[in-house]
Amino acid sequence: MTNELAETFERDRRVLLAIACRIVEDQSVAEEIVQESWLRWHGRDYKQSDARPIFRQIVANLARDWRRSRTAEFGALSELYQRRSFTPSTEAVVIARSELAAVVRTLRRLPKRNVRAFRMRVIDGMTYQQIGDRLGVSVSHTHGLVEQVMVEIGLALES
């Protein structure tokens, strides 16, 4: 059954990528979403005959979730900018850009699972239990994943 499922998945991979790409408008994110759909499938007790529609639904749901969190992230940034009624000094802009670059570099070198847990906690506002359920790990492990990212970001900003 697993071989049939893998064949179905590979056969529909282009369609799944197209679905995700249409929603998230980013090829690399779409590829991650399609891979995540495979993992989600294996975490459930679905029938082989339901593979095609369920894979498509999982991909669409994951893509919408990603887009929703991205929209929330931009909304939060927009709100922050609106609260600041003054024009920052050139020095403040340079420092902020430098700090942002340090955070981005740090996030790029950390394991994706840790960054994903951090994003779910900080951006999506999910509880550790919800994150753990989604990642398939314990609450304490989830806390450790998020904490590691926070520590690494703190160290990057101190240097």
Side-chain angles (χ1 to χ4, degrees), residues 6 9 27 31 33 50 56 67 80 83 101 118 131 135 156:
F9 181 78
Q27 182 71 27
E31 288 173 7
I33 287 171
D50 295 333
R56 290 174 184 194
R67 182 116 190 209
L80 282 174
R83 287 184 184 174
F118 175 76
I131 298 166
L135 296 178

Side-chain angles (χ1 to χ4, degrees), residues 76-152:
L77 288 174
S78 174
E79 186 177 320
L80 282 174
Y81 287 124
Q82 288 175 1
R83 287 184 184 174
R84 297 179 74 167
S85 59
F86 66 93
T87 303
S89 68
T90 304
E91 181 182 2
V93 170
V94 169
I95 291 169
R97 285 183 179 159
S98 173
E99 289 177 345
L100 180 59
V103 170
V104 169
R105 279 192 306 275
T106 301
L107 292 176
R108 284 188 177 151
R109 71 174 174 75
L110 291 172
K112 288 185 181 198
R113 187 179 212 183
N114 296 43
V115 174
R116 186 168 177 226
F118 175 76
R119 184 184 183 115
M120 285 189 264
R121 179 70 181 153
V122 175
I123 303 297
D124 299 338
M126 295 172 68
T127 66
Y128 289 111
Q129 181 66 55
Q130 291 169 324
I131 298 166
D133 290 347
R134 194 169 270 183
L135 296 178
V137 297
S138 69
V139 172
S140 60
H141 187 73
T142 301
H143 189 276
L145 294 173
V146 173
E147 184 69 23
Q148 181 183 7
V149 174
M150 292 171 62
V151 166
E152 293 293 328

Side-chain angles (χ1 to χ4, degrees), residues 51-69:
R52 280 191 147 141
I54 291 177
F55 272 135
R56 290 174 184 194
Q57 190 62 53
I58 291 171
V59 165
N61 288 344
L62 288 170
R64 285 186 202 104
D65 286 348
W66 183 89
R67 182 116 190 209
R68 219 179 343 259
S69 72

